[in-house]
Amino acid sequence: QQHQPHQQHQQHQQQSHQKGTIARFGSDAWHPPEGSLAAAGGTSSGRSWRDLPGAAAAPAYRTSRPPHGPPVAGLGEAHGVGAKRAWLDVLRSVEASPDEARRALLELRSRGLLRTPKELTIAVKGLGRASLWAEAARVLVDARSSGAGADDILETATISACEKGSQWEAALTLLSGFLHNLQATSSSSSTILRQTSGGRGNGWGGAAPAFNAAISACEKAKQWEWALALFVSMLDERLERDIVSFNAAISACEKGHQSDLALALLAEATQRALTPNVITYSAAISACEKGHRWEWAVHLLEVMEGKSVMPQVIACSAAISACEKGEQWEHALALLERMRSRGPRPNVISFNAAMSACEKGRRWQVSLQLLDELWSGGGGAGGSSSSSSSGVARLLRPSTISANVAISACGRGSRWDA
Protein backbone atom coordinates (compact mmCIF):
# COMPACT_ATOMS: atom_id res chain seq x y z
CA GLN A 1 0.00 0.00 0.00
CA GLN A 2 1.37 3.32 -1.00
CA HIS A 3 0.32 6.69 0.40
CA GLN A 4 0.17 10.00 -1.41
CA PRO A 5 -0.61 12.46 1.41
CA HIS A 6 -1.19 15.44 -0.80
CA GLN A 7 -2.80 15.64 -4.23
CA GLN A 8 -0.19 18.14 -5.41
CA HIS A 9 2.88 16.17 -4.47
CA GLN A 10 3.83 15.53 -8.11
CA GLN A 11 2.99 19.04 -9.28
CA HIS A 12 6.25 20.80 -8.49
CA GLN A 13 5.36 23.82 -10.58
CA GLN A 14 2.43 24.74 -8.31
CA GLN A 15 4.30 25.97 -5.26
CA SER A 16 2.44 27.48 -2.34
CA HIS A 17 3.93 29.86 0.16
CA GLN A 18 6.04 28.42 2.95
CA LYS A 19 5.47 29.43 6.55
CA GLY A 20 8.49 31.66 6.44
CA THR A 21 11.76 32.38 4.77
CA ILE A 22 14.31 29.61 5.17
CA ALA A 23 17.23 32.01 5.21
CA ARG A 24 18.43 35.38 4.03
CA PHE A 25 21.85 36.18 2.72
CA GLY A 26 23.50 38.95 4.68
CA SER A 27 26.02 41.07 2.84
CA ASP A 28 28.39 40.58 5.74
CA ALA A 29 28.20 36.80 5.46
CA TRP A 30 28.54 36.12 1.75
CA HIS A 31 30.14 37.97 -1.13
CA PRO A 32 29.32 36.21 -4.39
CA PRO A 33 30.76 37.59 -7.64
CA GLU A 34 27.49 39.28 -8.54
CA GLY A 35 26.56 40.49 -5.05
CA SER A 36 24.37 38.96 -2.40
CA LEU A 37 21.50 36.71 -3.33
CA ALA A 38 18.09 38.16 -2.53
CA ALA A 39 15.94 36.61 0.17
CA ALA A 40 15.20 33.04 -0.83
CA GLY A 41 11.93 31.53 0.27
CA GLY A 42 11.35 27.79 0.48
CA THR A 43 8.29 25.76 -0.27
CA SER A 44 6.85 22.86 1.59
CA SER A 45 3.47 22.93 -0.18
CA GLY A 46 1.92 23.26 3.25
CA ARG A 47 2.99 19.73 4.14
CA SER A 48 3.87 18.39 7.54
CA TRP A 49 4.53 15.02 9.07
CA ARG A 50 1.11 15.43 10.68
CA ASP A 51 -0.41 15.01 7.20
CA LEU A 52 1.07 11.54 6.97
CA PRO A 53 -1.02 8.47 7.76
CA GLY A 54 -0.94 7.32 11.37
CA ALA A 55 0.51 4.17 12.79
CA ALA A 56 -2.74 2.31 12.26
CA ALA A 57 -2.42 2.82 8.53
CA ALA A 58 0.98 1.14 8.29
CA PRO A 59 1.08 -1.16 5.28
CA ALA A 60 1.43 -4.91 5.60
CA TYR A 61 4.99 -5.32 4.38
CA ARG A 62 5.37 -8.49 2.38
CA THR A 63 8.48 -10.49 2.99
CA SER A 64 9.79 -13.44 1.03
CA ARG A 65 10.86 -16.52 2.93
CA PRO A 66 14.57 -17.31 2.75
CA PRO A 67 15.52 -20.11 0.39
CA HIS A 68 15.78 -23.59 1.86
CA GLY A 69 19.17 -25.20 1.65
CA PRO A 70 22.40 -25.69 3.52
CA PRO A 71 23.30 -23.32 6.36
CA VAL A 72 25.43 -20.27 5.70
CA ALA A 73 29.04 -21.35 5.32
CA GLY A 74 30.89 -21.74 8.60
CA LEU A 75 27.84 -21.82 10.85
CA GLY A 76 26.97 -25.48 10.74
CA GLU A 77 24.24 -26.45 13.21
CA ALA A 78 25.13 -23.99 15.97
CA HIS A 79 22.79 -23.80 18.94
CA GLY A 80 22.03 -21.50 21.86
CA VAL A 81 24.22 -18.52 22.58
CA GLY A 82 26.74 -19.59 19.97
CA ALA A 83 24.05 -19.68 17.29
CA LYS A 84 22.78 -16.27 18.29
CA ARG A 85 26.21 -14.74 18.09
CA ALA A 86 26.96 -16.44 14.77
CA TRP A 87 23.76 -15.36 13.06
CA LEU A 88 24.07 -11.80 14.37
CA ASP A 89 27.61 -11.73 12.96
CA VAL A 90 26.13 -12.62 9.56
CA LEU A 91 23.84 -9.61 9.80
CA ARG A 92 26.73 -7.39 10.94
CA SER A 93 28.81 -8.36 7.91
CA VAL A 94 28.91 -5.87 5.05
CA GLU A 95 29.49 -8.78 2.68
CA ALA A 96 26.37 -10.77 3.59
CA SER A 97 24.22 -11.56 0.55
CA PRO A 98 20.44 -11.06 0.59
CA ASP A 99 19.92 -14.82 0.89
CA GLU A 100 22.34 -15.02 3.83
CA ALA A 101 20.67 -12.08 5.57
CA ARG A 102 17.23 -13.64 5.09
CA ARG A 103 18.45 -16.97 6.41
CA ALA A 104 20.03 -15.34 9.46
CA LEU A 105 16.79 -13.48 10.22
CA LEU A 106 14.74 -16.66 9.90
CA GLU A 107 17.05 -18.61 12.20
CA LEU A 108 17.09 -15.89 14.84
CA ARG A 109 13.34 -15.33 14.82
CA SER A 110 12.37 -18.99 14.68
CA ARG A 111 14.51 -19.65 17.75
CA GLY A 112 13.26 -16.59 19.58
CA LEU A 113 16.76 -15.09 19.77
CA LEU A 114 15.85 -11.50 18.83
CA ARG A 115 14.70 -10.06 22.13
CA THR A 116 16.26 -6.67 22.81
CA PRO A 117 16.08 -3.39 20.85
CA LYS A 118 19.85 -3.62 20.27
CA GLU A 119 19.55 -7.08 18.70
CA LEU A 120 16.62 -5.96 16.59
CA THR A 121 18.61 -2.94 15.41
CA ILE A 122 21.53 -5.18 14.37
CA ALA A 123 19.08 -7.25 12.34
CA VAL A 124 17.45 -4.22 10.72
CA LYS A 125 20.79 -2.65 9.78
CA GLY A 126 21.95 -5.91 8.23
CA LEU A 127 18.74 -6.24 6.25
CA GLY A 128 19.12 -2.66 5.07
CA ARG A 129 22.64 -3.30 3.81
CA ALA A 130 21.29 -6.31 1.90
CA SER A 131 18.55 -4.13 0.34
CA LEU A 132 15.84 -6.06 2.19
CA TRP A 133 13.81 -3.03 3.26
CA ALA A 134 10.50 -4.92 3.49
CA GLU A 135 11.97 -7.49 5.87
CA ALA A 136 13.43 -4.67 7.97
CA ALA A 137 10.07 -2.90 8.12
CA ARG A 138 8.38 -6.13 9.15
CA VAL A 139 10.80 -6.51 12.05
CA LEU A 140 9.95 -3.00 13.26
CA VAL A 141 6.19 -3.38 12.86
CA ASP A 142 6.29 -6.67 14.77
CA ALA A 143 8.40 -5.09 17.50
CA ARG A 144 5.88 -2.26 17.86
CA SER A 145 2.90 -4.59 18.12
CA SER A 146 4.56 -7.09 20.44
CA GLY A 147 5.98 -4.52 22.83
CA ALA A 148 9.48 -5.90 22.30
CA GLY A 149 10.90 -2.41 22.56
CA ALA A 150 10.95 -0.35 19.36
CA ASP A 151 13.14 2.54 20.48
CA ASP A 152 14.26 5.57 18.50
CA ILE A 153 17.47 3.90 17.29
CA LEU A 154 15.56 0.95 15.87
CA GLU A 155 13.02 3.30 14.27
CA THR A 156 15.77 5.33 12.61
CA ALA A 157 17.63 2.22 11.40
CA THR A 158 14.45 0.92 9.75
CA ILE A 159 13.76 4.22 8.00
CA SER A 160 17.37 4.15 6.77
CA ALA A 161 16.77 0.65 5.40
CA CYS A 162 13.84 2.03 3.40
CA GLU A 163 16.08 4.82 2.16
CA LYS A 164 18.64 2.30 0.94
CA GLY A 165 15.85 0.45 -0.83
CA SER A 166 14.62 3.65 -2.53
CA GLN A 167 11.30 3.37 -0.70
CA TRP A 168 10.59 6.94 0.32
CA GLU A 169 6.86 6.41 0.88
CA ALA A 170 7.53 3.49 3.21
CA ALA A 171 10.07 5.67 5.04
CA LEU A 172 7.46 8.40 5.53
CA THR A 173 4.88 5.90 6.74
CA LEU A 174 7.29 4.50 9.32
CA LEU A 175 8.28 8.00 10.43
CA SER A 176 4.60 8.87 10.83
CA GLY A 177 3.97 5.82 12.98
CA PHE A 178 6.97 6.62 15.14
CA LEU A 179 5.95 10.24 15.67
CA HIS A 180 2.30 9.49 16.29
CA ASN A 181 3.36 6.98 18.93
CA LEU A 182 5.58 9.58 20.56
CA GLN A 183 2.79 12.12 20.49
CA ALA A 184 0.35 9.64 22.02
CA THR A 185 2.71 8.92 24.90
CA SER A 186 3.65 12.54 25.48
CA SER A 187 2.32 13.83 28.78
CA SER A 188 1.86 17.33 27.35
CA SER A 189 0.64 17.94 23.82
CA SER A 190 1.82 21.55 24.01
CA THR A 191 5.40 20.64 24.83
CA ILE A 192 6.64 18.52 22.00
CA LEU A 193 10.34 18.49 22.66
CA ARG A 194 11.56 15.90 25.13
CA GLN A 195 15.20 15.42 25.89
CA THR A 196 16.41 11.83 25.82
CA SER A 197 18.58 10.91 28.77
CA GLY A 198 21.73 9.16 27.47
CA GLY A 199 21.82 5.76 25.88
CA ARG A 200 18.84 4.23 24.14
CA GLY A 201 15.53 5.87 24.75
CA ASN A 202 12.17 6.98 23.44
CA GLY A 203 11.73 10.74 23.43
CA TRP A 204 11.19 13.61 21.02
CA GLY A 205 14.85 14.47 21.39
CA GLY A 206 15.60 11.17 19.65
CA ALA A 207 13.27 11.93 16.74
CA ALA A 208 15.80 14.13 14.93
CA PRO A 209 17.84 11.20 13.49
CA ALA A 210 14.60 9.61 12.25
CA PHE A 211 13.70 12.86 10.50
CA ASN A 212 17.19 12.98 8.96
CA ALA A 213 16.81 9.45 7.62
CA ALA A 214 13.40 10.24 6.14
CA ILE A 215 14.69 13.45 4.53
CA SER A 216 17.52 11.46 2.99
CA ALA A 217 15.02 8.90 1.65
CA CYS A 218 13.04 11.69 -0.01
CA GLU A 219 16.24 13.22 -1.36
CA LYS A 220 17.34 10.02 -3.04
CA ALA A 221 13.87 9.61 -4.56
CA LYS A 222 13.98 13.19 -5.89
CA GLN A 223 11.04 14.18 -3.69
CA TRP A 224 12.50 17.55 -2.79
CA GLU A 225 9.23 19.10 -1.66
CA TRP A 226 8.64 16.39 0.91
CA ALA A 227 12.27 16.62 2.01
CA LEU A 228 11.87 20.34 2.71
CA ALA A 229 8.50 19.78 4.38
CA LEU A 230 10.14 17.41 6.85
CA PHE A 231 13.05 19.80 7.31
CA VAL A 232 10.65 22.62 8.21
CA SER A 233 8.67 20.27 10.46
CA MET A 234 11.80 19.73 12.52
CA LEU A 235 11.85 23.47 13.21
CA ASP A 236 8.15 23.45 14.06
CA GLU A 237 8.72 20.64 16.54
CA ARG A 238 11.78 22.37 18.03
CA LEU A 239 14.06 19.51 17.00
CA GLU A 240 17.72 20.32 16.56
CA ARG A 241 18.78 20.31 12.93
CA ASP A 242 22.42 19.35 12.56
CA ILE A 243 24.69 19.39 9.53
CA VAL A 244 23.31 15.98 8.50
CA SER A 245 19.84 17.54 8.28
CA PHE A 246 21.14 20.41 6.16
CA ASN A 247 23.17 18.10 3.91
CA ALA A 248 20.13 15.97 3.12
CA ALA A 249 17.94 19.03 2.50
CA ILE A 250 20.53 20.70 0.25
CA SER A 251 21.01 17.47 -1.71
CA ALA A 252 17.24 17.26 -2.16
CA CYS A 253 17.20 20.81 -3.55
CA GLU A 254 20.04 19.89 -5.89
CA LYS A 255 18.08 16.95 -7.29
CA GLY A 256 15.03 19.17 -7.61
CA HIS A 257 16.97 21.87 -9.50
CA GLN A 258 16.30 24.37 -6.71
CA SER A 259 19.59 26.24 -6.58
CA ASP A 260 18.26 29.27 -4.69
CA LEU A 261 16.92 27.10 -1.89
CA ALA A 262 20.14 25.10 -1.74
CA LEU A 263 22.15 28.30 -1.34
CA ALA A 264 19.72 29.61 1.26
CA LEU A 265 20.08 26.42 3.29
CA LEU A 266 23.86 26.63 3.07
CA ALA A 267 23.73 30.21 4.33
CA GLU A 268 21.46 29.24 7.22
CA ALA A 269 23.76 26.37 8.21
CA THR A 270 26.65 28.82 8.37
CA GLN A 271 24.65 31.38 10.31
CA ARG A 272 23.71 28.71 12.85
CA ALA A 273 27.40 28.12 13.55
CA LEU A 274 27.28 24.67 11.97
CA THR A 275 30.36 23.56 10.06
CA PRO A 276 29.61 22.76 6.42
CA ASN A 277 31.66 19.82 5.17
CA VAL A 278 32.63 18.47 1.78
CA ILE A 279 29.17 16.91 1.37
CA THR A 280 27.46 20.25 2.08
CA TYR A 281 29.54 22.21 -0.40
CA SER A 282 29.48 19.51 -3.07
CA ALA A 283 25.69 19.35 -3.01
CA ALA A 284 25.43 23.14 -3.18
CA ILE A 285 27.88 23.34 -6.09
CA SER A 286 25.98 20.65 -7.98
CA ALA A 287 22.77 22.61 -7.36
CA CYS A 288 24.43 25.71 -8.82
CA GLU A 289 25.51 23.71 -11.86
CA LYS A 290 21.95 22.54 -12.49
CA GLY A 291 20.62 26.02 -11.82
CA HIS A 292 23.06 27.69 -14.25
CA ARG A 293 24.70 29.63 -11.42
CA TRP A 294 28.34 29.44 -12.48
CA GLU A 295 29.45 32.43 -10.38
CA TRP A 296 28.22 30.74 -7.21
CA ALA A 297 29.77 27.41 -8.17
CA VAL A 298 33.18 29.03 -8.59
CA HIS A 299 32.70 31.11 -5.45
CA LEU A 300 31.86 28.07 -3.33
CA LEU A 301 35.02 26.32 -4.48
CA GLU A 302 36.96 29.36 -3.29
CA VAL A 303 35.09 29.25 0.02
CA MET A 304 36.02 25.59 0.42
CA GLU A 305 39.67 26.39 -0.19
CA GLY A 306 39.54 29.25 2.30
CA LYS A 307 38.11 26.93 4.95
CA SER A 308 40.62 24.16 4.18
CA VAL A 309 37.88 21.81 2.96
CA MET A 310 39.40 19.74 0.16
CA PRO A 311 36.91 19.50 -2.73
CA GLN A 312 36.34 16.18 -4.39
CA VAL A 313 36.47 15.59 -8.11
CA ILE A 314 32.66 15.56 -8.34
CA ALA A 315 32.38 19.09 -6.97
CA CYS A 316 35.17 20.42 -9.20
CA SER A 317 33.67 18.77 -12.28
CA ALA A 318 30.26 20.23 -11.41
CA ALA A 319 31.81 23.70 -11.18
CA ILE A 320 33.45 23.25 -14.60
CA SER A 321 30.12 22.09 -15.98
CA ALA A 322 28.46 25.18 -14.48
CA CYS A 323 30.96 27.35 -16.33
CA GLU A 324 30.22 25.41 -19.51
CA LYS A 325 26.49 26.08 -19.12
CA GLY A 326 27.28 29.73 -18.52
CA GLU A 327 29.50 29.83 -21.63
CA GLN A 328 32.51 30.75 -19.53
CA TRP A 329 35.23 28.73 -21.23
CA GLU A 330 38.07 30.71 -19.66
CA HIS A 331 36.81 29.96 -16.16
CA ALA A 332 36.30 26.31 -17.08
CA LEU A 333 39.92 26.00 -18.22
CA ALA A 334 41.12 27.83 -15.12
CA LEU A 335 39.29 25.34 -12.89
CA LEU A 336 40.73 22.41 -14.82
CA GLU A 337 44.21 23.86 -14.45
CA ARG A 338 43.63 24.34 -10.73
CA MET A 339 42.72 20.66 -10.46
CA ARG A 340 45.96 19.77 -12.21
CA SER A 341 48.07 21.84 -9.88
CA ARG A 342 46.27 21.47 -6.55
CA GLY A 343 44.07 18.41 -6.93
CA PRO A 344 41.92 16.52 -6.94
CA ARG A 345 43.07 14.77 -10.10
CA PRO A 346 40.63 15.52 -12.95
CA ASN A 347 38.75 12.62 -14.50
CA VAL A 348 37.14 12.14 -17.90
CA ILE A 349 34.03 14.03 -16.79
CA SER A 350 36.18 17.01 -15.84
CA PHE A 351 37.86 17.02 -19.24
CA ASN A 352 34.57 16.55 -21.10
CA ALA A 353 33.01 19.53 -19.30
CA ALA A 354 36.02 21.72 -20.11
CA MET A 355 36.00 20.54 -23.74
CA SER A 356 32.29 21.32 -24.00
CA ALA A 357 32.90 24.81 -22.58
CA CYS A 358 35.54 25.41 -25.24
CA GLU A 359 33.22 24.04 -27.91
CA LYS A 360 30.55 26.57 -26.93
CA GLY A 361 33.20 29.27 -26.88
CA ARG A 362 34.29 28.31 -30.43
CA ARG A 363 37.74 27.31 -29.20
CA TRP A 364 38.03 24.15 -31.26
CA GLN A 365 41.81 24.09 -31.01
CA VAL A 366 41.67 23.91 -27.22
CA SER A 367 39.04 21.17 -27.36
CA LEU A 368 41.32 19.11 -29.58
CA GLN A 369 44.26 19.75 -27.27
CA LEU A 370 42.26 18.43 -24.33
CA LEU A 371 41.18 15.41 -26.36
CA ASP A 372 44.79 14.74 -27.30
CA GLU A 373 45.71 15.03 -23.64
CA LEU A 374 43.13 12.37 -22.81
CA TRP A 375 44.45 10.07 -25.53
CA SER A 376 47.92 10.42 -24.07
CA GLY A 377 46.63 9.27 -20.69
CA GLY A 378 45.67 12.54 -19.07
CA GLY A 379 48.46 14.81 -20.26
CA GLY A 380 49.95 16.93 -17.52
CA ALA A 381 47.12 16.39 -15.08
CA GLY A 382 48.67 16.02 -11.69
CA GLY A 383 47.26 14.15 -8.73
CA SER A 384 46.35 15.49 -5.36
CA SER A 385 48.63 17.63 -3.30
CA SER A 386 50.36 14.50 -2.05
CA SER A 387 51.05 13.26 -5.56
CA SER A 388 54.12 13.93 -7.64
CA SER A 389 53.87 17.01 -9.82
CA SER A 390 54.85 14.85 -12.77
CA GLY A 391 52.13 12.36 -11.98
CA VAL A 392 49.91 11.54 -14.92
CA ALA A 393 46.36 10.24 -14.80
CA ARG A 394 47.47 7.24 -16.85
CA LEU A 395 44.17 5.45 -16.58
CA LEU A 396 42.20 8.28 -18.23
CA ARG A 397 40.79 7.48 -21.63
CA PRO A 398 38.43 9.57 -23.76
CA SER A 399 34.81 8.48 -23.91
CA THR A 400 32.28 8.66 -26.71
CA ILE A 401 31.17 11.98 -25.25
CA SER A 402 34.75 13.26 -25.54
CA ALA A 403 34.86 12.43 -29.25
CA ASN A 404 31.41 13.90 -29.90
CA VAL A 405 32.31 17.17 -28.17
CA ALA A 406 35.54 17.44 -30.16
CA ILE A 407 33.71 16.78 -33.42
CA SER A 408 31.08 19.39 -32.54
CA ALA A 409 33.84 21.89 -31.72
CA CYS A 410 35.41 21.33 -35.13
CA GLY A 411 32.01 21.76 -36.73
CA ARG A 412 31.50 25.12 -35.02
CA GLY A 413 34.93 26.15 -36.23
CA SER A 414 34.20 24.96 -39.78
CA ARG A 415 37.20 22.66 -39.54
CA TRP A 416 35.84 19.49 -41.11
CA ASP A 417 39.40 18.31 -41.79
CA ALA A 418 40.52 18.49 -38.16
Side-chain angles (χ1 to χ4, degrees):
Q1 180 181 357
Q2 294 182 346
H3 304 283
Q4 294 183 349
H6 200 283
Q7 294 180 349
Q8 295 181 343
H9 105 224
Q10 290 181 338
Q11 300 175 1
H12 298 322
Q13 291 82 10
Q14 300 178 3
Q15 302 176 356
S16 61
H17 292 292
Q18 192 188 9
K19 297 176 181 178
T21 301
I22 288 183
R24 294 180 181 275
F25 287 89
S27 58
D28 57 338
W30 293 92
H31 299 280
E34 296 295 328
S36 298
L37 185 67
T43 174
S44 63
S45 297
R47 300 170 183 169
S48 166
W49 73 265
R50 299 176 189 277
D51 300 324
L52 297 170
Y61 298 102
R62 299 177 182 177
T63 59
S64 56
R65 291 181 61 83
H68 295 286
V72 175
L75 290 185
E77 296 296 331
H79 296 279
V81 177
K84 180 177 182 177
R85 183 182 301 110
W87 289 114
L88 286 176
D89 285 343
V90 171
L91 291 169
R92 286 190 183 98
S93 174
V94 296
E95 299 178 353
S97 68
D99 285 346
E100 290 173 338
R102 285 194 188 97
R103 182 63 181 276
L105 178 65
L106 176 66
E107 294 290 344
L108 288 166
R109 300 192 74 175
S110 65
R111 302 181 189 192
L113 298 177
L114 288 177
R115 300 188 183 94
T116 67
K118 183 176 181 180
E119 292 164 354
L120 291 168
T121 301
I122 292 173
V124 163
K125 288 183 176 180
L127 295 169
R129 281 191 295 268
S131 300
L132 300 175
W133 69 272
E135 282 82 352
R138 184 73 265 168
V139 170
L140 173 61
V141 173
D142 289 347
R144 286 176 178 173
S145 60
S146 66
D151 65 2
D152 50 14
I153 300 177
L154 175 59
E155 298 276 0
T156 300
T158 311
I159 294 172
S160 294
C162 293
E163 174 230 323
K164 292 181 176 64
S166 302
Q167 300 294 324
W168 69 276
E169 289 173 304
L172 293 187
T173 300
L174 293 177
L175 176 67
S176 173
F178 174 40
L179 299 178
H180 277 95
N181 288 340
L182 286 181
Q183 189 177 47
T185 57
S186 176
S187 61
S188 172
S189 59
S190 62
T191 304
I192 295 297
L193 178 63
R194 288 184 173 274
Q195 298 298 333
T196 304
S197 57
R200 304 179 71 94
N202 293 79
W204 278 87
F211 266 99
N212 289 345
I215 293 172
S216 184
C218 294
E219 173 259 318
K220 286 181 171 54
K222 299 182 179 181
Q223 297 291 329
W224 69 271
E225 287 180 302
W226 264 118
L228 287 189
L230 295 177
F231 184 82
V232 173
S233 290
M234 293 182 71
L235 180 63
D236 295 339
E237 305 299 347
R238 304 181 194 174
L239 295 175
E240 181 179 357
R241 298 180 295 180
D242 57 14
I243 196 62
V244 176
S245 313
F246 279 89
N247 286 351
I250 293 172
S251 294
C253 292
E254 177 260 323
K255 287 182 172 60
H257 296 256
Q258 302 295 318
S259 59
D260 283 357
L261 290 177
L263 290 171
L265 290 169
L266 175 59
E268 183 181 354
T270 303
Q271 292 164 0
R272 289 179 177 273
L274 296 176
T275 304
N277 53 32
V278 66
I279 297 174
T280 321
Y281 287 114
S282 296
I285 291 172
S286 293
C288 292
E289 181 261 328
K290 291 182 178 179
H292 299 263
R293 307 292 295 274
W294 71 268
E295 302 101 326
W296 272 97
V298 174
H299 174 65
L300 290 178
L301 279 181
E302 295 173 350
V303 171
M304 291 182 73
E305 181 176 307
K307 295 182 178 294
S308 299
V309 179
M310 180 64 179
Q312 296 178 341
V313 65
I314 295 177
C316 294
S317 298
I320 295 175
S321 182
C323 292
E324 175 259 322
K325 288 180 170 61
E327 299 185 0
Q328 301 292 323
W329 65 272
E330 299 99 331
H331 286 282
L333 289 181
L335 290 176
L336 183 64
E337 181 58 34
R338 182 160 68 177
M339 292 179 73
R340 287 174 169 138
S341 60
R342 306 179 191 176
R345 175 181 296 169
N347 60 15
V348 175
I349 297 175
S350 313
F351 275 91
N352 287 348
M355 289 172 60
S356 183
C358 293
E359 179 261 335
K360 288 186 177 180
R362 298 184 180 277
R363 295 299 188 273
W364 63 272
Q365 301 97 326
V366 183
S367 290
L368 290 185
Q369 289 174 5
L370 293 176
L371 179 64
D372 183 64
E373 193 171 319
L374 277 174
W375 277 117
S376 64
S384 63
S385 58
S386 61
S387 303
S388 171
S389 60
S390 61
V392 174
R394 296 181 177 85
L395 298 180
L396 288 183
R397 288 293 181 272
S399 63
T400 302
I401 295 176
S402 310
N404 288 340
V405 171
I407 292 171
S408 179
C410 292
R412 280 180 179 264
S414 301
R415 295 303 301 259
W416 61 269
D417 56 339

